[in-house]
Amino acid sequence: MLTKTPHLFDEATAVTAGDSRWQGRTSPDYWAFVGPFGGCTAATILRALIQHPQRAGDPLALTVNYCAPVAEGTFDLDVRLVKANRSSQHWSVEMTQGGGDVVTLATAVFAERRPSWSHQQADFPGATPFEETLPFPSLAMSWVKQYDFRFVAGEPKLRSGPTNPPSSAYSKLWIADRVPRRLDALSLMSMSDAFFGRVFHARRELVPFGTVSLTTYFHVDTDDLAAEGATRVLAAADGRIFHKSYGDQHGELWSPSGRLLATTTQIAYFKA
């Protein structure tokens, strides 16, 4: 059943409007290694944009560059409409702390999506049903405890040292909020960063890791998501290269009915 009380995710991504900036606060419920879970930070930025009185249309793309670790506590969001035309808007957002130091820099595109020719080229990556897939054991980080991960393929089998040769970086899994919450653009944004680091899969060990830049493209609007009525996604991700401290990731988020909801790419730092 869907929760009837305020969901922890909505509390963690809450923002309030100020005179010239929006304000928010980090949540201990979505904490990662050295700061808040990057997907939660991205969703918070997206929430400020969605709630902005000048916003028109639905999110089409969001790029978030994590410039520095976000410290525990409050932050400001400087939200600016850069350019608007009849069908799209381009936004920039700076997250600052401690008197103006930028910790996160984002750009976003919103669009009025109109009926048109439609064709889904990508094939749905079939999977065992969510209910028939075993949950992944929870890890120590609090943000992981907020999601129900159920691996269909590529479950990370972490060891005390790296494998040789490296394992596949591919994984396919169901992702749902631990307390069920109907999918919207905010949860899609957060879930697009909820994949475990590809380097963890390739080396089968935890190493220092952090997302540097994340881009998510939305292929559905508010009405499409409402029609799906889903509370989970089937997610697939892979990495192509790990080289000189950085590795990539590309991923897909699907509805249980087989609709491609979002695609995502990122570049991440690792120390190994």
Side-chain angles (χ1 to χ4, degrees):
M1 294 179 61
L2 297 178
T3 178
K4 295 182 179 180
T5 58
H7 198 282
L8 281 180
F9 178 74
D10 295 302
E11 293 180 349
T13 58
V15 290
T16 56
D19 293 336
S20 59
R21 292 187 175 188
W22 296 65
Q23 288 80 40
R25 174 180 286 275
T26 61
S27 169
D29 296 311
Y30 286 84
W31 204 255
F33 288 111
V34 295
F37 164 48
C40 185
T41 299
T44 303
I45 290 170
L46 184 59
R47 184 183 290 277
L49 290 166
I50 290 174
Q51 293 182 358
H52 199 284
Q54 290 181 273
R55 187 268 302 178
D58 288 282
L60 189 66
L62 178 65
T63 296
V64 182
N65 296 316
Y66 300 92
C67 307
V70 179
E72 182 180 3
T74 60
F75 53 80
D76 293 323
L77 297 174
D78 184 1
V79 181
R80 184 168 67 95
L81 178 59
V82 178
K83 181 70 175 179
N85 54 40
R86 290 180 57 191
S87 61
S88 65
Q89 293 180 328
H90 298 261
W91 295 83
S92 71
V93 182
E94 289 186 357
M95 176 184 286
T96 57
Q97 287 183 302
D101 292 334
V102 176
V103 292
T104 306
L105 176 65
T107 59
V109 182
F110 279 69
E112 300 276 2
R113 305 190 71 132
R114 300 181 176 89
S116 70
W117 177 76
S118 181
H119 171 58
Q120 182 174 287
Q121 184 74 25
D123 294 326
F124 179 61
T128 54
F130 176 85
E131 295 81 4
E132 298 176 16
T133 309
L134 292 176
F136 185 72
S138 183
L139 300 178
M141 290 176 292
S142 63
W143 79 266
V144 178
K145 301 179 188 298
Q146 306 308 327
Y147 289 106
D148 187 348
F149 299 100
R150 303 193 179 199
F151 281 87
V152 178
E155 178 179 331
K157 300 183 183 299
L158 303 177
R159 306 164 21 146
S160 60
T163 59
N164 189 20
S167 301
S168 170
Y170 176 80
S171 62
K172 178 169 59 174
L173 68 157
W174 292 102
I175 304 176
D177 289 289
R178 182 75 63 181
V179 177
R181 180 183 182 278
R182 190 157 291 160
L183 291 177
D184 58 11
L186 299 174
S187 53
L188 279 183
M189 186 67 239
S190 185
M191 289 176 179
S192 73
D193 192 41
F195 298 101
F196 297 161
R198 296 300 93 194
V199 68
F200 302 162
H201 291 266
R203 291 178 60 90
R204 291 194 175 182
E205 67 169 346
L206 292 176
V207 298
F209 169 90
T211 300
V212 177
S213 183
L214 164 71
T215 297
T216 297
Y217 300 105
F218 300 87
H219 305 303
V220 288
D221 61 15
T222 301
D223 292 339
D224 294 328
L225 281 173
E228 289 289 333
T231 58
R232 52 184 176 264
V233 297
L234 179 62
D238 207 347
R240 294 185 177 92
I241 188 169
F242 305 94
H243 181 62
K244 291 188 175 179
S245 303
Y246 293 91
D248 74 325
Q249 175 182 276
H250 52 94
E252 300 173 346
L253 302 180
W254 296 81
S255 73
S257 68
R259 185 169 193 168
L260 185 58
L261 304 176
T263 49
T264 183
T265 60
Q266 69 172 254
I267 191 78
Y269 164 82
F270 66 87
K271 185 177 181 180

